[in-house]
Amino acid sequence: MAVTRNIPVDGMALAGEHGLPVVAIIPKTFRNDSGVTEQSHTQDGTPQFTVQTLYTPSNGSKAELLDVTVAATQQPNIPLLSAVRFEALTCSLWQMGNRSGLAFSASSVQPANLTRKAGD
């Protein structure tokens, strides 16, 4: 049985004032019961995409790829290496049998230079 828990993530604290650079945007896929790879969809049928970003910790630790799932009717059109911000970013802790991990998702993604700052 899968166990999940969603935790809100402060996107500004994670991405800093400049946002996270995009490395790739690809359809999120899974292998169905027949072994065929298909694109994932939300329960209402909206296609899901993986926005792969480069997270560089402020403490100087090594950079890591951070995959964030975003649902959108069309693949987000953001140039590679552009800085982005995520709306309603959450982290899901999951466990299935002996396996566990983190999965990030957001309601939307947009270029960081289009994001309004608080008070604007």
Side-chain angles (χ1 to χ4, degrees):
M1 173 190 221
V3 177
T4 60
R5 179 177 168 200
N6 293 328
I7 301 169
V9 175
D10 181 350
M12 283 295 287
L14 180 70
E17 63 184 64
H18 302 294
L20 295 169
V22 171
V23 177
I25 301 176
I26 57 174
K28 182 175 180 174
T29 60
F30 72 99
R31 194 170 296 243
N32 68 18
D33 294 337
S34 302
V36 176
T37 300
E38 295 182 21
Q39 184 168 8
S40 299
H41 292 78
T42 62
Q43 289 181 342
D44 68 2
T46 305
Q48 292 181 314
F49 298 89
T50 298
V51 180
Q52 192 172 61
T53 62
L54 185 63
Y55 169 66
T56 306
S58 60
N59 66 2
S61 298
K62 74 174 193 167
E64 295 186 30
L65 293 177
L66 179 69
D67 290 351
V68 180
T69 299
V70 176
T73 55
Q74 296 182 25
Q75 182 166 330
N77 186 17
I78 299 172
L80 296 182
L81 301 180
S82 296
V84 296
R85 295 209 190 283
F86 295 99
E87 185 73 29
L89 183 63
T90 61
C91 177
S92 300
L93 308 168
W94 59 267
Q95 178 180 349
M96 287 191 275
N98 293 334
R99 297 179 45 196
S100 62
L102 302 173
F104 290 88
S105 62
S107 62
S108 66
V109 60
Q110 60 185 350
N113 62 353
L114 297 181
T115 303
R116 291 179 35 196
K117 294 182 180 176
D120 285 355

